[in-house]
Amino acid sequence: MEMELLYFGQLTDITGCSTQRLQHVADTDSLRMLVYAQYPGLQQVKFMIAINNKLVSGNQPIPADARVAFMPPFSGG
Amino acid sequence: MMKQEMNYERYQRQLILKGFGATAQHKLQAARVLVIGAGGLGCPIMQYLVAAGVGHIGIADHDMVSVSNLHRQILFGLEDVGQPKVEVVKRKMGSLNNECNIETWQEKWTQQHAVNHFPAYDVLVDATDNFASRYLINDACVLMGKPLVFGAVSQFEGQVAVFNQLEEDGSRSVNYRDLFPEPPAGGEVLNCAEAGVLGVLPGIIGSMQATEVIKLLTGIGTPLVNKLWNYNALTQDVFSFQLEANPDAKARIPATLAGFLNTDYEWLCGVPGAAIKEIDAVAWVRDHGNHLLVDVREPHELPRLTSLCKQMGISLMEIPLSVLEDQLDTISASQVVFVCQAGRRSLQASSLFLKQNSAGSVCSLKGGVQTLVASNYLQYE
């Protein structure tokens, strides 16, 4: 079982990619640990997490085959 | 205000739209919209709202038109360079539609401005370019019960949302704090000067914002309430995220207007403290001590500083900001100077450095590599 990760904005400068497929993990806290280990730079920036296009806060379970988006704030205008 | 005679010829193409008609046009005519920021987003927002016949529009921006604005702020021309943006906007909007009353503020928008002027407007539009202003405007809209049309850009991507709109049950829809309860650290997110922006992108995002304003004022369609719309110009991919209230959000907004007036938004958004000395990049190249220069840009960012440092006879380290924290202990020098592309990431690097060297002081090159290029100390290869 896999899940799809989407990185937005300047997060892609850290990850070097905008999409990634990963083995499914149970919840958003575990997912954070996983991506922090792979991309330490992500620990220094703020982003929100959306599961299947829905914003979540706190630690939330991730359903099977979910698409998880990491969205940072944009400041430019 | 006295109801003006409607100019049917001018508005004919939208008057004949299904669900629009004279009713919607009268609503626009009676409406008051305040746009903060007359830059990449603010220009198209103003143009479309004025053209559509919004009766009264306020526009605030303390800046002057500069040449580097012109690739995206296409309302301005070469002859406007050096002039206050709001004056140019007012003049050009007058020739576009003289039925629209334009009120201008050529001042930096503060909490006091928000408290004084937000109550007189129906819809607020965030067309600013920095987090201190964005959080200030958001919090003011929540405290004063005003809908806010938000737009922001970054490189090739943009975000649009309608915040704090009155819902049918009398509550207010989500606001920016529900999305990002706390501002990012200073320099954490790069602005357009630092990260770049495709010129057409703010045109697209600003036009989306103008669309949302017109929908809110006339009641047509379904505005982007409780949604964040994200657009990527490179792929033309669009994502619409469903938003909901964040339990952390409410406590971060000042509870009262008095608390709001006392909030230091620039400090919250990481405008630098005293131990970090911002020094002019050109003056530093001309007259530098035995410094260690630390370039915190990513390896692909040009031009590199290797040959300049060789000429100057000073040491250079290249440590991208994304990995700096883990490598801070490799920096050992009595005087460290951080540099990046435009001088924002170097400020964040300086803050990180000071966390581990609390007794020391550190310098950040103001304007960064861009200033050195502009002054011909560096060339793009």
Side-chain angles (χ1 to χ4, degrees):
Chain A
M1 211 162 48
E2 282 194 330
M3 56 187 186
E4 186 184 15
L5 305 189
L6 302 177
Y7 300 104
F8 288 86
Q10 289 168 26
L11 299 183
T12 59
D13 290 343
I14 297 170
T15 61
C17 63
S18 55
T19 63
Q20 185 181 10
R21 294 199 71 85
L22 274 188
Q23 280 299 309
H24 177 258
V25 292
D27 53 47
T28 49
D29 278 359
S30 321
L31 179 60
R32 269 183 195 270
M33 299 308 289
L34 206 68
V35 296
Y36 286 167
Q38 194 173 357
Y39 309 110
L42 288 179
Q43 291 178 59
Q44 290 162 32
V45 297
K46 286 197 168 59
F47 52 83
M48 64 100 161
I49 295 181
I51 300 176
N52 293 330
N53 290 350
K54 198 162 181 246
L55 171 74
V56 296
S57 46
N59 187 26
Q60 297 296 332
I62 301 175
D65 298 319
R67 187 165 72 177
V68 184
F70 295 76
M71 171 68 73
F74 297 172
S75 74
Chain B
M1 201 174 78
M2 240 172 52
K3 198 173 246 184
Q4 288 174 323
E5 194 76 359
M6 187 181 294
N7 187 335
Y8 285 94
E9 187 183 0
R10 173 181 281 275
Y11 303 116
Q12 194 260 353
R13 297 296 195 279
Q14 66 192 30
L15 282 169
I16 60 172
L17 283 172
K18 196 172 139 197
F20 202 95
T23 316
Q25 194 61 49
H26 280 303
K27 285 179 183 168
L28 290 182
Q29 204 170 16
R32 296 174 59 89
V33 177
L34 177 54
V35 180
I36 303 172
L41 298 170
C43 286
I45 293 167
M46 290 299 294
Q47 286 171 281
Y48 277 113
L49 293 184
V50 168
V54 173
H56 183 100
I57 307 181
I59 176 82
D61 198 307
H62 65 282
D63 231 345
M64 312 288 169
V65 178
S66 68
V67 172
S68 69
N69 297 148
L70 302 183
H71 100 294
R72 67 193 181 286
Q73 300 172 24
I74 59 173
L75 178 64
F76 304 131
L78 270 178
E79 69 281 9
D80 303 318
V81 169
Q83 292 191 51
K85 286 183 172 179
V86 292
E87 274 182 25
V88 180
V89 168
K90 184 169 174 138
R91 192 178 68 240
K92 298 206 173 182
M93 293 304 99
S95 74
L96 175 58
N97 187 349
N98 60 5
E99 295 172 11
C100 179
N101 181 31
I102 306 277
E103 188 178 5
T104 60
W105 287 271
Q106 195 203 324
E107 290 151 51
K108 195 170 155 60
W109 199 259
T110 63
Q111 288 103 307
Q112 194 63 57
H113 285 99
V115 170
N116 290 351
H117 302 296
F118 279 16
Y121 284 89
D122 303 309
V123 174
L124 286 304
V125 186
D126 179 355
T128 63
D129 61 359
N130 64 88
F131 286 114
S133 299
R134 293 187 181 285
Y135 278 86
L136 185 162
I137 293 164
N138 180 75
D139 291 359
C141 284
V142 172
L143 284 165
M144 288 183 259
K146 293 290 176 184
L148 170 63
V149 177
F150 166 91
V153 294
S154 167
Q155 297 181 328
F156 301 102
E157 286 175 70
Q159 300 170 336
V160 182
V162 173
F163 293 135
N164 205 47
Q165 166 72 346
L166 190 62
E167 307 251 50
E168 274 178 15
D169 64 1
S171 66
R172 291 275 167 179
S173 70
V174 299
N175 65 76
Y176 196 50
R177 294 269 191 181
D178 289 297
L179 201 50
F180 301 108
E182 284 192 329
E188 179 187 310
V189 178
L190 308 182
N191 63 15
C192 292
E194 178 91 32
V197 62
L198 190 70
V200 72
L201 180 69
I204 294 167
I205 299 301
S207 303
M208 288 288 299
Q209 287 180 276
T211 311
E212 291 306 296
V213 173
I214 290 167
K215 284 159 64 183
L216 289 178
L217 295 176
T218 58
I220 62 166
T222 312
L224 285 168
V225 171
N226 296 322
K227 279 182 187 163
L228 177 75
W229 187 86
N230 186 89
Y231 169 75
N232 185 326
L234 288 181
T235 56
Q236 302 285 15
D237 278 341
V238 166
F239 287 91
S240 184
F241 296 101
Q242 195 66 40
L243 307 180
E244 55 183 48
N246 183 329
D248 291 339
K250 206 174 168 201
R252 308 291 162 85
I253 300 172
T256 61
L257 281 181
F260 169 70
L261 285 168
N262 286 325
T263 302
D264 186 341
Y265 282 89
E266 296 215 327
W267 179 82
L268 275 180
C269 297
V271 178
I276 302 170
K277 214 161 81 186
E278 277 194 281
I279 52 176
D280 181 77
V282 171
W284 175 80
V285 170
R286 287 201 195 114
D287 181 24
H288 57 89
N290 185 23
H291 296 161
L292 169 66
L293 185 67
V294 183
D295 182 355
V296 296
R297 294 174 302 159
E298 300 295 321
H300 65 267
E301 291 179 81
L302 298 174
R304 304 308 295 179
L305 293 159
T306 328
S307 47
L308 180 68
C309 285
K310 207 172 272 174
Q311 284 169 33
M312 292 167 66
I314 60 162
S315 314
L316 170 71
M317 289 180 84
E318 295 178 331
I319 314 177
L321 186 63
S322 52
V323 296
L324 180 68
E325 203 157 16
D326 296 331
Q327 296 183 32
L328 276 174
D329 50 4
T330 63
I331 302 173
S332 85
S334 57
Q335 187 59 61
V336 177
V337 178
F338 285 102
V339 64
C340 65
Q341 202 72 3
R344 278 174 62 91
R345 277 174 291 172
S346 55
L347 280 175
Q348 200 194 349
S350 304
S351 303
L352 285 173
F353 181 79
L354 283 178
K355 269 191 213 162
Q356 293 208 2
N357 303 271
S358 50
S361 74
V362 63
C363 294
S364 168
L365 286 192
K366 198 174 181 179
V369 168
Q370 280 179 2
T371 308
L372 296 176
V373 172
S375 313
N376 290 319
Y377 282 97
L378 279 171
Q379 281 88 37
Y380 289 101
E381 285 121 47

